[in-house]
């Protein structure tokens, strides 16, 4: 359970996205605190990307929105999101054209439809000597806090590529590359007085390790076949295939935060982001997510990374996090984060897109090979 415990420990911290080498991150943060400012590091790993507002533990009704996402932008933009454009008149340009009117569908109906699409899906097999490739193109926040309510935030673009061998006990590889550091989301000072944070040794580079143990000096140690680690196939092998039992599993995983709708929704996304959930299990996972209470529906269109999808979003007033599903295959293809009515950072305007990702999964013939999209 160390991955889950570690994730919960990161909730609502300034260092909400600490690198996998946590001991080094803590030492760096302490040094920065002594210098009078705190750098909020870039999130380099899925298991440590989780950012759950603690205030949601006492929240009342939680709203879940449904959004048609037509992807292809250069990344999130600062400021309130623009009004949705009119739906396309060309059905071939809109994969959701054969869906019922999404504005009339509940979030439960959308998730159950995605589950129906996933039931017949078959994962591309990973043969001997091949690798499961999981690519994640992300825009993630990197900020500096200079006081209780002062600081600034940049949005960094990063590509993370991971290769998982057919035998998970063999050597995995992960590559991280920073593509862009210059998007300024806002601050208590103008951009001219807000130097970009430095790129750290865990923000980009290449790592290898058996069973995905890229940072063997981390504590607690990563173990092969750990049923509590959703980066391990063992985690999925232990999951039930009944939606009610999966819902109970989500409640158990988030018990430390009251099993709130916010906590369960965030954990549901994080586990999908690992890119390892079998197609048949994914269908039941969607049905379990559909049981999360407090859902409302809103239809709109926006852009992400070249694919069109249907997004489910949960608003806890601090942040709106959206789960994006391919409307043709039911596959999870990414997410988006938008500042809520009361953003965690007071210098961020409500409605600002503060993060996004596009997830690609495929089979690679050799370690380090990026399959054609």
């Amino acid at each position: 359970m160390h991955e889950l415990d570690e994730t919960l420990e990161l909730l609502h911290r300034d260092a909400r996205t600490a690198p996998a080498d946590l001991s080094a991150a803590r030492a760096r943060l302490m040094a920065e605190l002594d210098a009078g400012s705190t750098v909020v590091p870039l999130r380099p790993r899925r298991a440590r990307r989780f950012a759950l507002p603690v205030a949601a533990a006492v929240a009342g009704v939680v709203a879940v929105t449904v959004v048609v996402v037509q992807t292809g932008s250069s990344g999130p933009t600062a400021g309130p999101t623009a009004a949705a454009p009119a739906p396309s008149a060309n059905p071939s340009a809109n994969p959701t054209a054969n869906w019922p009117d999404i504005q009339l569908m509940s979030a439960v109906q959308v998730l159950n439809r995605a589950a129906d699409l996933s039931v017949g899906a078959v994962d591309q097999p990973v043969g001997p000597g091949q690798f499961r490739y999981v690519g994640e193109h992300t825009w993630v926040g990197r900020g500096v806090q200079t006081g209780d309510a002062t600081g600034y935030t940049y949005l960094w673009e990063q590509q993370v590529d991971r290769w998982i061998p057919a035998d998970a006990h063999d050597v995995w590889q992960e590559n991280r590359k920073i593509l862009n550091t210059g998007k300024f989301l806002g601050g208590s000072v103008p951009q001219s007085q807000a130097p970009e944070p430095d790129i750290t040794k865990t923000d980009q580079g290449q790592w290898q390790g058996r069973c995905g143990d890229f940072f063997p000096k981390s504590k607690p140690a990563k173990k092969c076949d750990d049923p509590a680690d959703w980066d391990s196939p063992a985690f999925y092998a232990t999951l039930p295939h009944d939606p009610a039992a999966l819902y109970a599993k989500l409640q158990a995983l988030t018990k430390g935060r009251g099993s709130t709708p916010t906590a369960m929704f965030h954990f549901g996304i994080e586990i999908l982001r690992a890119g390892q959930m079998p197609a048949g299990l994914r269908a039941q996972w969607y049905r379990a997510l559909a049981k999360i209470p407090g859902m409302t529906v809103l239809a709109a269109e926006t852009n992400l990374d070249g694919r069109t999808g249907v997004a489910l979003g949960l608003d806890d007033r601090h942040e709106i996090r959206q789960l994006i599903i391919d409307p043709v295959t039911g596959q999870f293809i990414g997410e988006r984060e938008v500042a809520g009515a009361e953003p965690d950072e007071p210098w961020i305007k409500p409605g600002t897109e503060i993060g996004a990702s596009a997830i690609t999964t495929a089979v690679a013939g050799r370690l380090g090979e990026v399959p054609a999209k």
Side-chain angles (χ1 to χ4, degrees):
M1 293 294 292
H2 69 270
E3 289 282 356
L4 301 176
D5 294 337
E6 185 176 312
T7 296
L8 287 169
E9 283 300 312
L10 292 175
L11 303 183
H12 242 250
R13 289 186 179 179
D14 292 333
R16 59 194 291 179
T17 54
D21 186 354
L22 294 178
S23 59
R26 292 189 186 104
R28 186 171 65 255
L29 286 174
M30 290 305 295
E32 289 157 350
L33 282 169
D34 290 340
S37 64
T38 300
V39 176
V40 181
L42 182 69
R43 47 194 162 197
R45 285 198 62 197
R46 284 180 294 271
R48 291 160 177 84
R49 192 175 186 273
F50 184 60
L52 171 64
V54 175
V58 293
V61 176
V62 178
V64 173
T65 63
V66 173
V67 182
V68 178
V69 178
Q70 195 162 30
T71 63
S73 74
S74 60
T77 57
T81 53
S88 171
N90 179 8
S92 63
N94 181 6
T96 62
N98 62 342
W99 281 49
D101 189 342
I102 292 178
Q103 289 185 334
L104 301 180
M105 296 177 71
S106 69
V108 173
Q109 289 173 318
V110 170
L111 279 168
N112 282 331
R113 183 174 178 85
D116 291 340
L117 291 170
S118 297
V119 167
V122 178
D123 294 313
Q124 185 178 357
V126 182
Q130 294 183 320
F131 297 83
R132 175 77 62 195
Y133 167 80
V134 182
E136 185 174 12
H137 178 202
T138 66
W139 286 87
V140 292
R142 176 78 179 246
V144 173
Q145 184 169 345
T146 57
D148 289 341
T150 58
Y152 56 88
T153 303
Y154 278 90
L155 201 63
W156 283 18
E157 182 181 13
Q158 183 186 39
Q159 178 69 35
V160 179
D161 299 306
R162 176 176 285 199
W163 291 266
I164 304 167
D167 182 349
H169 297 88
D170 291 338
V171 173
W172 300 28
Q173 180 171 310
E174 182 167 292
N175 295 356
R176 304 174 190 166
K177 184 178 181 180
I178 300 299
L179 306 176
N180 187 335
T181 63
K183 282 185 177 289
F184 185 67
L185 290 188
S188 57
V189 295
Q191 184 174 3
S192 60
Q193 300 176 29
E196 293 183 24
D198 294 332
I199 296 175
T200 72
K201 64 179 181 180
T202 52
D203 289 335
Q204 64 180 5
Q206 182 183 105
W207 296 268
Q208 291 186 347
R210 291 182 61 254
C211 302
D213 187 7
F214 303 125
F215 301 94
K217 294 182 180 180
S218 319
K219 300 297 181 183
K222 186 178 178 67
K223 300 181 296 183
C224 291
D225 300 322
D226 185 352
D229 179 3
W230 58 70
D231 272 340
S232 171
F235 175 81
Y236 305 93
T238 63
L239 290 179
H241 282 245
D242 174 70
L246 284 171
Y247 184 81
K249 178 69 173 180
L250 272 173
Q251 287 180 312
L253 292 178
T254 56
K255 183 178 180 180
R257 285 298 180 271
S259 299
T260 64
T262 300
M264 294 175 68
F265 188 70
H266 280 273
F267 263 80
I269 292 176
E270 285 304 308
I271 292 168
L272 286 168
R273 289 181 68 237
Q276 297 193 53
M277 184 173 289
L281 179 59
R282 187 175 67 243
Q284 307 312 318
W285 193 255
Y286 287 154
R287 296 191 199 282
L289 294 179
K291 296 178 179 295
I292 297 175
M295 296 185 178
T296 61
V297 175
L298 172 68
E301 288 186 344
T302 186
N303 290 322
L304 183 63
D305 189 38
R307 285 170 289 177
T308 299
V310 177
L312 299 171
L314 188 148
D315 184 355
D316 66 10
R317 293 193 61 77
H318 296 286
E319 179 181 275
I320 304 167
R321 194 172 184 189
Q322 300 170 0
L323 160 68
I324 305 171
I325 299 170
D326 186 307
V328 175
T329 66
Q331 188 174 5
F332 170 74
I333 59 173
E335 62 168 325
R336 176 178 285 103
E337 295 165 63
V338 178
E342 300 173 3
D344 291 320
E345 292 78 22
W347 53 83
I348 298 293
K349 295 180 180 179
T352 300
E353 290 186 65
I354 56 177
S357 71
I359 308 296
T360 301
T361 58
V363 173
R366 64 180 185 274
L367 199 65
E369 175 185 80
V370 177
K373 295 183 179 179

